[in-house]
Amino acid sequence: MRLFENIYFIGGIHGVGKGTICKEITSRTKLIHITASEVLKWNEISLSENKLVTNISSTQERLIYGLENLIEEDKEYLLDGHFCLLNSSGIPCKIDEDLFDQINPKAVAIVIDDVKIISKRLESRDDKIYEIKILNELQQMEIEYAKYLSKKYCIPYIEIIDNNYERFLDILNR
């Protein structure tokens, strides 16, 4: 079931810099930046420093409900979120494919960075230490899943490394 026709999805693990990249992209385009966390009202369902998700499926249902009440047909959006999350046990898990079926992204992009840098950023930002091994596993899982979704939907897949989002802009301008 496809609900939307006007969303570009940009993912990446916590602390990778999605928000910064999205602000830069939207400053150069007509896209409207929204974050999955804001749509979910994450602060209402979890402590802000908690990156573990108790019930991934219900969280994603909440995201779709929020998007249905926010998205306007005549505008285009850049939604930043995740392809994978850490479950309540701290194990990387893919987001249900059904969520992406409903979002129906026009393209998928993933922000990638050195997990050691991300780990330091998260420690500074959230005052929490994440194992490099887990962050690496999570990032690799996100990359592979984003590639898979790109092939499934026959849409562009873009890797944003070293803040280079020019390819994303090229795809928007086509």
Side-chain angles (χ1 to χ4, degrees):
M1 169 196 350
R2 296 174 175 208
L3 294 178
F4 308 104
E5 302 287 332
N6 53 351
I7 296 176
Y8 293 85
F9 190 88
I10 187 164
I13 67 175
H14 294 286
V16 76
K18 295 180 301 295
T20 301
I21 295 286
C22 288
K23 285 178 186 146
E24 291 179 22
I25 290 171
T26 55
S27 74
R28 297 180 60 186
T29 66
K30 292 183 179 183
L31 293 176
I32 298 166
H33 176 216
I34 52 178
T35 71
S37 294
E38 289 171 356
V39 175
L40 284 166
K41 298 181 180 175
W42 186 251
N43 59 337
E44 292 179 6
I45 57 175
S46 179
L47 298 173
S48 62
E49 69 276 2
N50 181 16
K51 303 302 180 203
L52 307 180
V53 182
T54 305
N55 187 328
I56 293 175
S57 292
S58 70
T59 303
Q60 302 318 306
E61 289 168 12
R62 186 175 172 131
L63 176 62
I64 291 297
Y65 177 78
L67 289 172
E68 287 174 330
N69 292 302
L70 182 70
I71 300 296
E72 297 176 32
E73 286 183 32
D74 60 337
K75 296 178 181 171
E76 290 194 313
Y77 297 87
L78 180 59
L79 173 61
D80 91 57
H82 303 280
F83 295 102
C84 304
L85 290 167
L86 296 175
N87 69 14
S88 59
S89 301
I91 297 169
C93 294
K94 294 176 186 173
I95 299 291
D96 293 336
E97 208 169 305
D98 182 56
L99 173 77
F100 295 100
D101 291 345
Q102 293 177 67
I103 289 175
N104 187 32
K106 294 178 82 165
V108 292
I110 185 158
V111 182
I112 302 169
D113 204 349
D114 182 312
V115 291
K116 291 176 185 167
I117 294 169
I118 295 168
S119 175
K120 288 179 182 170
R121 205 176 287 146
L122 286 170
E123 184 177 356
S124 164
R125 185 180 83 184
D126 301 341
D127 200 27
K128 185 169 180 175
I129 297 171
Y130 290 87
E131 290 181 42
I132 299 294
K133 180 182 175 215
I134 293 293
L135 292 176
N136 189 57
E137 185 181 334
L138 182 60
Q139 182 163 259
Q140 289 305 311
M141 185 182 283
E142 283 222 339
I143 292 167
E144 293 308 313
Y145 196 34
K147 287 178 182 177
Y148 163 79
L149 293 170
S150 166
K151 287 179 184 165
K152 175 182 178 179
Y153 304 125
C154 298
I155 57 173
Y157 165 81
I158 305 114
E159 289 185 353
I160 299 173
I161 302 171
D162 296 328
N163 293 330
N164 184 351
Y165 53 85
E166 292 302 319
R167 184 159 173 266
F168 188 88
L169 294 176
D170 290 344
I171 287 168
L172 284 175
N173 293 324
R174 286 187 189 158

